Amino acid sequence: MSEMRDILKDTVTRLFTDLVTRETLGDAETGTWPDALWNACAENGLTLALVPEEMGGAGLGWADSFVIARAAGHHGPPVPLVETMLGSWLLSEAGLEIPEGPLTVAPVRTDDNLQVGGNAVSGTAKAVPWGRQAGHAVVLSNGQIALVALNSSMVTENCNIAREPRDTVNFDNAPLIASAPTSLPKDGLQVYGAMFRAAQLAGGVARCLDETVQYAGDRIQFSRPIAKYQVIQQYLAAMAGHMASAGAAAEMAFRAADRGDPRFEAASAKVVTGDAAGNATSTAHQVHGAIGFTYEHILQFTTRRLWSWRAEFGAESRWAEEIGRQVAGRGADAFWPDLTARQSGMVA
Amino acid sequence: MDSLYFEPCELPQEAEVLRGEIRDFLADNLDPYSPEVRSRSWAGGDPEFSQKLGEAGFIGMRFPKKYGGHERNAMERYVVIEELLAAGAPVALHWIADRQSGPLLLNYGTEKQREMCLPGVAKGETYFCIGMSEPDSGSDLASIRTKAVKVDGGYVVNGTKIWTSEAHRCHYMIALFRTDSEVEEKHKGMSQFLVDMNTPGVTARPIRNMAGEEMFNEVSFVDAFIPEDMLVGEEGKGWQQVLSELAFERSGPERYMSSHILLHALIREVSQNPTERSAVAIGRLIAHLATLRQMSLSVAGMQDAGQDPSLAGSVVKDLGAVYEQDMPKIAHELVGADPQLMGGSDFEKVLAYVTQATISFSLRGGTREILRGIIARGLGLR
């Protein structure tokens, strides 16, 4: 890892360790906005990590930003950090000014039909992350990136399994603050959203492993820590494999984004990290036993996020099907040359 | 868990140039081999192919030139071996010599041993087998009992090695024997030897496997005399040397690419008219393949940088075996073919073979349980 990324990793780890406590996580589920946490993210340049310095951002590339997104998955800060990273990047790419405060993105789901036209956005978007708390939404539709102010009359509250806000937003001819054409495909938000969720999933799986290794070392049964039993060691070793593959898959996608279109790598990462999340959550809970099934224990803040994130911006099956159709269309003799060429960075 | 971080590693440009060369070579030389033959992957061998590959400069790529090698770097070698695996080239005969015995002799062997063996290895004419497991010692390798007793000018060996791939066709074995039976600690008192398979008293008997092949062997040693200059490395340091040999054995792309020809056949079978179900299944395999390749490249990068790849290699081998072993099940579910051994389509024949072969993928080179034990140690659990 580069020195830059090491420093970044230390910074975000310290920030989240201090400010994303069990209390913060619990309070957020009952509607408390963690002001100190959000301000710290903004002041440290995390929210505008991908925005060029001349536009007021940190000017990081994707490979560096991966460190932030993965740490966000590890600690689960209950704020739209990665959504603001994505939204502000989209605005900066389109040459639009970035407003203060938390951003969200829409549409998250492919079957939501938003129309941008005549200086307004119409249509309804479901499962919009932090819709009630984000001041603005960055909308990608009709080949346009558009910025829209959100207000409470547009939002119907809902949430995912982790009780993170996932609201229905009825745009109903909401006026555009600004808009500009984009070369991203119609479902470009899904691609980049999937990539961010993959990084969060990788971080969350690593957290599951950390918690479970710790618990297995502490928990004594039959006069020994359960970590001393071979069956538990075998479970944890398999989980470590899933942790490692999730991290590799997600990082591969972010690095691909630095080279060009990361669509294939983002799709692969969402499949691999989603599969890893399924495996890791089961093992983590099995090893933790009954205590892990309580609201009191910290583990469930991570596992409920993993089950939510793996479904958002396209589940494993959605992205696997896309890859599979692509591979089938290119024929059996092409998949290996295609893969080696992409991974060598020879094809953007 | 920073010890399980897989630093991304990209192949340098010269390695990609080499990819074009090895692909051209394979295009010219693989025609005689059917998909069924290719599906044997690195368990299938042909002396003529090994020789041609050696002649073209694709074996012993990292060996010094003075031993017939080509002084290429680890990433260049990586590209060549992954292309051989992707094509299902019949590489079994020279594979072990190129992968681990040659590097072992370069690390620990004497000048005489290197000069005697390495040029033939690089030509694709000298084959090696691995003398580790014994009838009563599989996963518990340190419990081996085959004894090498010091006599005038050498050692006399008695005992049995087993599951020795291609021993009946190999010229040499790198064998682990017990040279000191008195030591308390069982990891001590073992030594490695370079054994000429033509030595009187050494006999390789093929053991037919469940797929009907004669691939692995039982090798017996009855009063076999091994000259003292065939000791490899230091007497009593066999265990440490074996661990570094195993790092070569366990860390390559063959640990996730052994079912690659079935993947190819499966994609061919379903690509005309992919259903949602088959597209999802193929896509999932490709996503995991892309990730495993990235991790495997990372391990190669660690090796190139002189770091110990044992833990990372064990992770890739463990994940890779699960991926390879899922392949026949997925092919069975998607196509519902009814493989018949005496005939059928290429796809059916490939499926019939790989279904049987995959059983061994989480056994050979260290069982799943042993690898997970190594990973658990990496997690600080033992």
Side-chain angles (χ1 to χ4, degrees):
Chain A
M1 211 184 273
S2 73
E3 202 179 328
M4 166 69 197
R5 259 167 272 167
D6 282 340
I7 294 167
L8 192 58
K9 189 180 165 193
D10 287 347
T11 307
V12 291
T13 302
R14 205 173 318 117
L15 191 156
F16 291 149
T17 306
D18 288 348
L19 295 174
V20 187
T21 59
R22 204 207 160 281
E23 203 181 5
T24 325
L25 291 165
D27 288 350
E29 293 194 5
T30 54
T32 306
W33 171 254
D35 225 15
L37 169 64
W38 175 260
N39 291 338
C41 289
E43 281 157 19
N44 282 280
L46 308 184
T47 51
L48 306 189
L50 287 153
V51 174
E53 287 178 62
E54 60 272 22
M55 294 181 79
L60 299 183
W62 286 102
D64 292 335
S65 300
F66 168 71
V67 174
I68 303 171
R70 186 180 180 282
H74 195 282
H75 297 271
V79 289
L81 171 59
V82 305
E83 289 79 2
T84 304
M85 288 169 74
L86 175 55
S88 60
W89 174 73
L90 288 166
L91 291 173
S92 69
E93 283 287 293
L96 302 177
E97 206 174 317
I98 297 150
E100 288 280 314
L103 297 175
T104 189
V105 292
V108 169
R109 296 190 175 167
T110 35
D111 53 358
D112 285 341
N113 187 19
L114 294 185
Q115 292 297 323
V116 174
N119 284 323
V121 180
S122 58
T124 299
K126 292 198 197 73
V128 175
W130 318 91
R132 76 196 70 159
Q133 281 136 337
H136 298 82
V138 179
V139 173
L140 193 164
S141 190
N142 307 92
Q144 299 279 312
I145 296 285
L147 180 66
V148 184
L150 297 178
N151 62 59
S152 57
S153 67
M154 297 161 74
V155 172
T156 307
E157 295 190 359
N158 206 335
C159 61
N160 64 17
I161 305 172
R163 297 193 191 89
E164 292 178 312
R166 294 294 185 261
D167 300 328
T168 301
V169 176
N170 182 4
F171 285 93
D172 196 19
N173 279 317
L176 304 184
I177 295 172
S179 70
T182 175
S183 58
L184 288 174
K186 191 169 174 287
D187 60 356
L189 260 187
Q190 285 227 322
V191 173
Y192 285 92
M195 205 168 95
F196 271 107
R197 287 290 183 266
Q200 291 172 283
L201 284 161
V205 168
R207 176 65 176 274
C208 266
L209 179 65
D210 289 352
E211 293 294 336
T212 310
V213 167
Q214 174 77 40
Y215 180 79
D218 293 343
R219 174 69 172 169
I220 311 275
Q221 286 293 277
F222 306 103
S223 312
R224 318 192 256 169
I226 60 171
K228 293 294 159 201
Y229 294 100
Q230 281 194 351
V231 65
I232 302 294
Q233 292 175 356
Q234 295 278 313
Y235 281 167
L236 292 176
M239 201 168 155
H242 295 304
M243 186 278 294
S245 65
E251 186 163 13
M252 174 171 80
F254 276 70
R255 290 169 67 88
D258 275 327
R259 295 200 299 260
D261 179 10
R263 189 173 186 106
F264 169 74
E265 289 79 7
S268 294
K270 196 65 173 28
V271 173
V272 171
T273 56
D275 285 350
N279 282 302
T281 48
S282 298
T283 308
H285 278 293
Q286 185 62 28
V287 173
H288 274 82
I291 195 75
F293 194 54
T294 63
Y295 189 79
E296 183 62 28
H297 196 277
I298 192 91
L299 178 68
Q300 49 85 19
F301 287 108
T302 302
T303 52
R304 285 186 296 124
R305 277 172 172 72
L306 291 174
W307 294 318
S308 301
W309 295 341
R310 70 177 176 181
E312 294 172 0
F313 292 103
E316 297 91 300
S317 56
R318 178 249 184 270
W319 290 110
E321 185 181 352
E322 176 174 313
I323 297 170
R325 292 205 182 278
Q326 175 80 15
V327 165
R330 298 269 299 144
D333 290 336
F335 80 90
W336 177 254
D338 285 353
L339 181 69
T340 52
R342 271 203 82 87
Q343 292 194 326
S344 302
M346 290 169 79
V347 175
Chain B
M1 291 297 159
D2 285 348
S3 62
L4 286 172
Y5 174 67
F6 284 74
E7 178 94 47
C9 178
E10 271 152 31
L11 290 162
Q13 197 55 40
E14 67 268 20
E16 293 299 339
V17 171
L18 205 53
R19 188 186 303 283
E21 293 171 23
I22 182 71
R23 279 185 183 163
D24 288 346
F25 173 86
L26 292 168
D28 291 342
N29 289 286
L30 279 187
D31 267 352
Y33 309 102
S34 66
E36 184 192 8
V37 169
R38 294 189 197 194
S39 73
R40 280 159 170 72
S41 186
W42 56 286
D46 178 351
E48 202 183 317
F49 182 84
S50 288
Q51 211 169 24
K52 280 188 196 165
L53 192 68
E55 213 168 281
F58 295 122
I59 305 179
M61 292 180 64
R62 299 196 67 197
F63 298 0
K65 287 192 173 143
K66 65 171 173 172
Y67 304 124
H70 307 284
E71 299 185 1
R72 301 276 200 165
N73 63 41
M75 306 317 284
E76 291 174 305
R77 177 172 181 273
Y78 187 94
V79 164
V80 168
I81 61 172
E82 75 170 351
E83 289 298 326
L84 290 167
L85 294 163
V91 293
L93 293 175
H94 69 269
W95 192 257
I96 285 162
D98 180 58
R99 175 181 74 191
Q100 66 193 82
S101 315
L104 179 90
L105 291 178
L106 285 168
N107 278 343
Y108 300 109
T110 63
E111 197 55 34
K112 182 186 170 188
Q113 291 166 355
R114 294 173 188 174
E115 279 169 8
M116 185 171 88
C117 301
L118 297 184
V121 170
K123 281 187 188 161
E125 292 172 358
T126 302
Y127 317 141
F128 274 72
C129 57
I130 308 166
M132 292 191 196
S133 293
E134 295 183 5
D136 296 326
S137 303
S139 289
D140 182 11
L141 182 61
S143 71
I144 57 155
R145 291 202 301 245
T146 298
K147 260 187 216 161
V149 177
K150 189 86 183 78
V151 295
D152 194 26
Y155 298 80
V156 170
V157 179
N158 281 285
T160 308
K161 293 290 173 184
I162 201 165
W163 318 130
T164 319
S165 295
E166 304 293 350
H168 58 309
R169 300 208 276 177
C170 281
H171 305 93
Y172 294 101
M173 171 190 280
I174 300 284
L176 182 68
F177 298 138
R178 193 158 288 287
T179 40
D180 184 351
S181 309
E182 307 299 307
V183 284
E184 292 265 317
E185 223 260 276
K186 68 178 184 177
H187 292 86
K188 291 182 180 159
M190 287 180 282
S191 308
Q192 283 189 301
F193 291 87
L194 172 58
V195 178
D196 183 335
M197 293 301 283
N198 284 321
T199 304
V202 178
T203 314
R205 270 183 299 269
I207 301 169
R208 205 170 136 88
N209 69 21
M210 64 183 261
E213 301 164 301
E214 292 193 339
M215 199 272 291
F216 53 30
N217 290 258
E218 182 181 72
V219 183
S220 60
F221 295 81
V222 180
D223 291 332
F225 177 77
I226 311 292
E228 61 190 354
D229 59 2
M230 290 298 111
L231 173 71
V232 178
E234 240 180 282
E235 190 177 302
K237 287 281 160 62
W239 183 254
Q240 290 88 323
Q241 292 175 207
V242 155
L243 290 184
S244 78
E245 183 184 350
L246 284 170
F248 288 111
E249 181 172 342
R250 288 173 175 164
S251 58
E254 68 266 46
R255 299 307 181 180
Y256 73 97
M257 290 183 75
S258 329
S259 300
H260 199 80
I261 298 303
L262 176 57
L263 177 61
H264 185 273
L266 176 61
I267 292 173
R268 170 155 292 164
E269 193 72 12
V270 302
S271 62
Q272 288 308 312
N273 185 22
T275 60
E276 183 183 330
R277 195 163 67 105
S278 61
V280 168
I282 296 291
R284 176 170 261 123
L285 286 169
I286 297 292
H288 283 276
L289 170 66
T291 305
L292 282 163
R293 180 166 185 266
Q294 202 60 51
M295 297 173 80
S296 178
L297 279 168
S298 173
V299 174
M302 287 176 71
Q303 262 169 327
D304 211 24
Q307 296 159 3
D308 178 10
S310 306
L311 177 59
S314 297
V315 172
V316 178
K317 183 176 181 313
D318 181 39
L319 290 168
V322 172
Y323 160 85
E324 294 177 327
Q325 290 181 322
D326 276 348
M327 204 90 67
K329 178 174 161 260
I330 291 165
H332 163 72
E333 280 176 357
L334 289 183
V335 182
D338 174 15
Q340 291 178 308
L341 287 176
M342 300 311 227
S345 67
D346 281 339
F347 173 76
E348 286 168 338
K349 286 190 265 189
V350 168
L351 180 58
Y353 175 76
V354 177
T355 299
Q356 301 171 80
T358 44
I359 296 305
S360 67
F361 297 174
S362 53
L363 306 174
R364 62 184 184 189
T367 64
R368 169 171 298 140
E369 291 71 25
I370 287 294
L371 296 172
R372 290 188 179 173
I374 292 169
I375 299 165
R377 185 172 292 121
L379 292 172
L381 301 173
R382 46 195 295 258

